[in-house]
PDB file of all heavy atoms in Angstrom:
ATOM      1  N   CYS W 182     -38.860  24.414 -49.989  1.00  0.00           N
ATOM      2  CA  CYS W 182     -38.679  25.787 -50.374  1.00  0.00           C
ATOM      3  C   CYS W 182     -37.860  25.855 -51.670  1.00  0.00           C
ATOM      4  O   CYS W 182     -37.419  24.823 -52.191  1.00  0.00           O
ATOM      5  CB  CYS W 182     -38.093  26.601 -49.260  1.00  0.00           C
ATOM      6  SG  CYS W 182     -36.301  26.462 -49.092  1.00  0.00           S
ATOM      7  N   CYS W 185     -34.606  24.161 -51.397  1.00  0.00           N
ATOM      8  CA  CYS W 185     -34.613  22.755 -51.448  1.00  0.00           C
ATOM      9  C   CYS W 185     -34.438  22.217 -52.893  1.00  0.00           C
ATOM     10  O   CYS W 185     -33.780  21.203 -53.127  1.00  0.00           O
ATOM     11  CB  CYS W 185     -35.936  22.172 -50.872  1.00  0.00           C
ATOM     12  SG  CYS W 185     -36.204  22.484 -49.124  1.00  0.00           S
ATOM     13  N   CYS W 256     -31.660  21.504 -45.688  1.00  0.00           N
ATOM     14  CA  CYS W 256     -31.792  22.871 -46.333  1.00  0.00           C
ATOM     15  C   CYS W 256     -31.378  23.909 -45.325  1.00  0.00           C
ATOM     16  O   CYS W 256     -31.756  23.890 -44.137  1.00  0.00           O
ATOM     17  CB  CYS W 256     -33.267  23.051 -46.732  1.00  0.00           C
ATOM     18  SG  CYS W 256     -33.577  24.733 -47.333  1.00  0.00           S
ATOM     19  N   ILE W 258     -32.280  26.810 -44.854  1.00  0.00           N
ATOM     20  CA  ILE W 258     -33.265  27.784 -44.324  1.00  0.00           C
ATOM     21  C   ILE W 258     -34.498  27.072 -43.794  1.00  0.00           C
ATOM     22  O   ILE W 258     -35.047  27.481 -42.758  1.00  0.00           O
ATOM     23  CB  ILE W 258     -33.626  28.866 -45.360  1.00  0.00           C
ATOM     24  CG1 ILE W 258     -34.576  29.886 -44.779  1.00  0.00           C
ATOM     25  CG2 ILE W 258     -34.199  28.328 -46.619  1.00  0.00           C
ATOM     26  CD1 ILE W 258     -33.951  31.220 -44.595  1.00  0.00           C
ATOM     27  N   CYS W 259     -35.010  25.982 -44.465  1.00  0.00           N
ATOM     28  CA  CYS W 259     -36.228  25.352 -43.968  1.00  0.00           C
ATOM     29  C   CYS W 259     -35.904  23.916 -43.455  1.00  0.00           C
ATOM     30  O   CYS W 259     -36.836  23.222 -43.094  1.00  0.00           O
ATOM     31  CB  CYS W 259     -37.261  25.305 -45.107  1.00  0.00           C
ATOM     32  SG  CYS W 259     -37.084  23.996 -46.283  1.00  0.00           S
TER      33      CYS W 259
HETATM   34 ZN1  LIG P   1     -35.744  24.514 -48.070  1.00  0.00          ZN
END
Side-chain angles (χ1 to χ4, degrees):
Chain W
C182 79
C185 293
C256 176
I258 184 110
C259 81

